[in-house]
Amino acid sequence: MTAHESRIATYDAFWPFYLGEHALPATRAWHFVGTGLVLLALAAGLVTGNWRYFAAAPVCGYLFAWISHFFVEHNRPATFTYPLWSLISDFRMFFLFVAGRLGAELRRHGVSR
């Protein structure tokens, strides 16, 4: 999507766009690591009560995601324009991968790289 195109109006329309912005396997791998670290940090924060883990969670998620977009996929992170939908989609992509269903979802939306 370029600056001249209109904003995406629904999450159902955003999801295929999001997948397309994560077309390269290396991009998705960086996201998987970052999201996994987010979940570990949140769990550690809950178990220990240490607020630093909670503070580290978004840093882990965004650091790995933004590295993947700037240096691997060479596109602008969707979170800059669609922060909530992007966050939801990051976890959706993570759990689809864990469940072994991400490949089928990518194919269903025509993302084949």
Side-chain angles (χ1 to χ4, degrees):
M1 174 177 282
T2 67
H4 299 291
E5 295 178 32
S6 62
R7 283 184 53 86
I8 299 171
T10 66
Y11 181 76
D12 286 341
F14 174 78
W15 175 241
F17 166 76
Y18 181 88
L19 290 176
E21 294 294 292
H22 299 80
L24 297 175
T27 301
R28 295 190 301 271
W30 278 91
H31 274 261
F32 181 82
V33 170
T35 304
L37 288 172
V38 166
L39 294 172
L40 287 174
L42 293 174
L46 288 172
V47 168
T48 66
N50 187 335
W51 66 269
R52 288 180 182 93
Y53 288 112
F54 295 113
V59 173
C60 291
Y62 287 120
L63 176 67
F64 283 85
W66 292 354
I67 285 171
S68 72
H69 286 288
F70 294 127
F71 299 108
V72 177
E73 195 82 40
H74 302 288
N75 60 15
R76 185 173 185 264
T79 194
F80 291 169
T81 308
Y82 304 96
L84 182 58
W85 287 349
S86 183
L87 178 65
I88 292 166
S89 296
D90 213 30
F91 286 102
R92 182 177 180 183
M93 186 170 66
F94 179 88
F95 288 112
L96 282 169
F97 177 78
V98 169
R101 296 178 32 219
L102 182 58
E105 187 74 1
L106 292 167
R107 286 187 297 279
R108 185 167 79 90
H109 292 289
V111 180
S112 60
R113 286 198 266 173

